[in-house]
Amino acid sequence: MFQLIVMILFVSGFTVAQEKQLLCRSDDLDIFYSSCSPGTSTFFFTVKPCSLKVSVWMGFMFWIPKFDITVLTSYTSLWYGGVNSLKWKSVICKGVDDGYSFCGALKGETINTTVRISGAQPTYDQGEYTFVFKAFSGYYKDLALCMNYTFIIKEKLYG
């Protein structure tokens, strides 16, 4: 029985998500990130400007995938106040006529790209939001990437 308990504690110590790292900080927003991918993943994503007071951001991505990115599907969820307030599945790369330059990248190939992020400015309550992004090679087959982002909104923002 003792060996079983030690084994459970030992294994669980290696499955805990990595420590949060500061991505960016401004007067209205702090963003932290951590990887929830199995093993070590080479991935970095940042945005500029680091503020919810603007509706257009530029995203900068550096990634060395562990799988081919012919078909890339994603599952996204947003948590606020312990409630899953958004669930979204999408196909990012279909294998033909893809809109992103990284679609078609092969395992181990370096992806270094910039993407434009825009949308309406909704109202955000002050508090902590957790954004979980999972990307799969194929149609939700192999977990290629898993990232946790924590947004700390310092003041209520109106769109």
Side-chain angles (χ1 to χ4, degrees):
M1 182 66 166
F2 175 73
Q3 290 136 343
L4 178 62
I5 293 170
V6 169
M7 179 63 105
I8 291 170
L9 293 174
F10 180 78
V11 170
S12 67
F14 289 99
T15 59
V16 175
Q18 293 180 359
E19 182 179 329
K20 291 180 185 180
Q21 303 293 320
L22 179 64
L23 183 73
C24 67
R25 175 170 281 151
S26 68
D27 62 338
D28 65 318
L29 176 68
D30 290 344
I31 303 177
F32 296 87
Y33 72 96
S34 65
S35 173
C36 48
S37 295
T40 304
S41 181
T42 304
F43 179 83
F44 182 74
F45 184 80
T46 189
V47 293
K48 298 226 182 216
C50 183
S51 175
L52 292 173
K53 295 177 183 176
V54 298
S55 61
V56 177
W57 290 8
M58 294 305 293
F60 304 96
M61 178 174 65
F62 178 85
W63 184 22
I64 302 174
K66 294 182 178 182
F67 297 94
D68 292 345
I69 309 299
T70 308
V71 174
L72 187 67
T73 52
S74 70
Y75 177 78
T76 304
S77 60
L78 179 67
W79 295 81
Y80 176 70
V83 176
N84 190 345
S85 56
L86 172 72
K87 293 179 186 176
W88 181 42
K89 290 183 178 182
S90 67
V91 178
I92 299 170
C93 302
K94 298 175 281 196
V96 291
D97 297 329
D98 293 312
Y100 295 102
S101 63
F102 56 84
C103 294
L106 301 177
K107 173 183 175 180
E109 189 176 334
T110 299
I111 298 170
N112 192 4
T113 191
T114 302
V115 294
R116 184 175 186 261
I117 305 165
S118 63
Q121 287 182 293
T123 300
Y124 296 99
D125 288 330
Q126 183 176 354
E128 185 173 307
Y129 294 76
T130 301
F131 176 78
V132 180
F133 175 79
K134 294 181 180 180
F136 298 86
S137 176
Y139 292 98
Y140 305 101
K141 183 182 172 195
D142 296 312
L143 182 62
L145 180 67
C146 180
M147 296 298 292
N148 289 322
Y149 291 92
T150 301
F151 292 73
I152 299 174
I153 299 177
K154 300 174 187 178
E155 59 187 70
K156 187 170 184 162
L157 298 172
Y158 300 97

